[in-house]
Amino acid sequence: QREIQDVQQLVKETEENLQRERLEKIAESLKLLSDRQESLLKESDRFDLLLNEKGAWTRAQILSLTGFSRSQNGLAEETELVSSRDLDGLPVFMKTIGMAGRSMRDAAKLAERNPRTQTKGPPMSEKVVPAQKEALKRLGQFQNALKEEISQLASAGKENEPEEKQEKKPDEAKQNQSGGGAQDRKPPSIAQLKLLRNLQSDLYDRTEQLSTKFPDSKKMPEDARREMLQLQKDQREIGELLEILLEFNQRNAPQGVLQ
């Protein structure tokens, strides 16, 4: 029985170490993506400076905007790849990175300019920059949650170290041998739950802003109407995800875990 317990403990520690290493690699990738998004945001500011100085963009600058749009769209693809490739089993993180990628795509599309009719604007600060800042905000939220998740895994590893030298009670050993039932299933992390609630709060605030700005929904501009529909969709998805995770947490989490 003791040997079985030792093997189970070793497997548990190995899984936690692998998960921590996995998240650390994701954090490194995310830092690079954030830095590149910051650079594209500065590029938007540069385009607006040129517009303010001359009153219009030259044809060459419009062509540069086309390249800028492609770069922003390419960054969106790389960001979304992190979700599909690295975030399996972490639904809240997947949702957050997906929202960041969508904002990047919005910025890329909004940056496109017609060289014949849009040489005088609209400026990037009108719609492109807000979309870029939204993407950066989501990336920042994701980075903070990742740091907390990694820290929790590291702390859990330290807490488990003394258990190797402790004799477990017979009923605990029996539970380990039988698989332990629901208790072996890991509850959603506190970091994911906090992130989900932050997203929910952000979406609510943005919905309130749009509702205040356009109290008559029938007179709402088309772009604002599309944003409102997307906000409502995100709210439904996040609400459903939060309900599922909290229900699972209440059923399976040990004492002291966020409920």
Side-chain angles (χ1 to χ4, degrees):
Q1 290 184 354
R2 179 60 183 174
E3 291 179 355
I4 293 175
Q5 294 172 27
D6 289 342
V7 170
Q8 289 174 334
Q9 181 65 27
L10 180 60
V11 169
K12 180 180 179 182
E13 291 177 0
T14 301
E15 289 177 346
E16 289 176 347
N17 288 335
L18 289 173
Q19 176 73 337
R20 187 173 69 251
E21 291 173 3
R22 170 194 175 197
L23 295 181
E24 287 172 347
K25 289 180 180 179
I26 295 173
E28 291 174 3
S29 298
L30 205 64
K31 177 64 167 60
L32 295 175
L33 293 172
S34 295
D35 289 345
R36 289 168 61 190
Q37 183 59 65
E38 285 278 8
S39 296
L40 287 171
L41 179 59
K42 292 178 181 178
E43 190 71 3
S44 293
D45 293 337
R46 187 183 71 83
F47 277 115
D48 274 359
L49 283 175
L50 293 172
L51 180 63
N52 292 334
E53 288 176 0
K54 305 295 183 180
W57 286 306
T58 65
R59 185 175 181 83
Q61 289 165 353
I62 291 288
L63 291 175
S64 294
L65 271 171
T66 301
F68 167 90
S69 179
R70 289 173 181 167
S71 296
Q72 182 66 84
N73 206 49
L75 185 59
E77 291 178 359
E78 291 184 47
T79 301
E80 290 163 349
L81 182 61
V82 171
S83 175
S84 61
R85 182 189 61 197
D86 301 326
L87 297 178
D88 183 46
L90 298 168
V92 183
F93 291 165
M94 289 181 70
K95 178 63 178 177
T96 308
I97 206 73
M99 293 171 73
R102 188 176 67 220
S103 293
M104 291 178 187
R105 288 190 182 279
D106 288 344
K109 185 175 181 179
L110 292 166
E112 296 174 355
R113 296 289 185 273
N114 188 311
R116 294 182 179 179
T117 62
Q118 293 182 301
T119 58
K120 295 184 179 181
M124 303 286 275
S125 59
E126 186 173 302
K127 293 182 179 180
V128 177
V129 169
Q132 290 179 306
K133 288 183 176 180
E134 179 73 11
L136 276 172
K137 180 178 181 179
R138 298 301 173 216
L139 290 175
Q141 289 175 320
F142 186 19
Q143 285 177 298
N144 291 335
L146 266 182
K147 289 178 183 177
E148 185 171 353
E149 184 88 355
I150 292 169
S151 177
Q152 288 173 5
L153 286 170
S155 298
K158 292 179 180 179
E159 291 174 0
N160 288 333
E161 287 177 0
E163 294 180 4
E164 293 182 341
K165 300 179 181 180
Q166 295 177 1
E167 288 292 337
K168 292 190 177 181
K169 297 178 181 179
D171 57 337
E172 291 177 335
K174 183 178 180 181
Q175 185 184 47
N176 284 334
Q177 291 179 41
S178 62
Q183 291 298 327
D184 279 353
R185 298 173 63 194
K186 294 182 180 179
S189 67
I190 294 177
Q192 284 195 77
L193 290 172
K194 284 182 178 178
L195 176 57
L196 200 57
R197 285 173 169 167
N198 287 337
L199 292 176
Q200 194 175 45
S201 177
D202 287 348
L203 291 173
Y204 176 80
D205 290 343
R206 181 55 185 158
T207 301
E208 286 294 298
Q209 290 172 7
L210 278 179
S211 298
T212 301
K213 187 175 182 179
F214 305 106
D216 188 348
S217 60
K218 295 181 180 179
K219 297 181 180 180
M220 185 178 289
E222 185 59 30
D223 58 345
R225 190 187 304 275
R226 285 196 299 268
E227 182 181 359
M228 180 65 82
L229 289 174
Q230 184 61 58
L231 285 168
Q232 292 171 349
K233 179 182 178 182
D234 285 336
Q235 284 180 325
R236 285 195 302 271
E237 291 177 356
I238 286 177
E240 291 169 0
L241 193 54
L242 181 60
E243 184 177 342
I244 291 170
L245 293 184
L246 285 176
E247 182 181 353
F248 177 82
N249 190 59
Q250 290 170 352
R251 288 200 312 265
N252 301 289
Q255 292 184 353
V257 177
L258 181 66
Q259 296 189 24

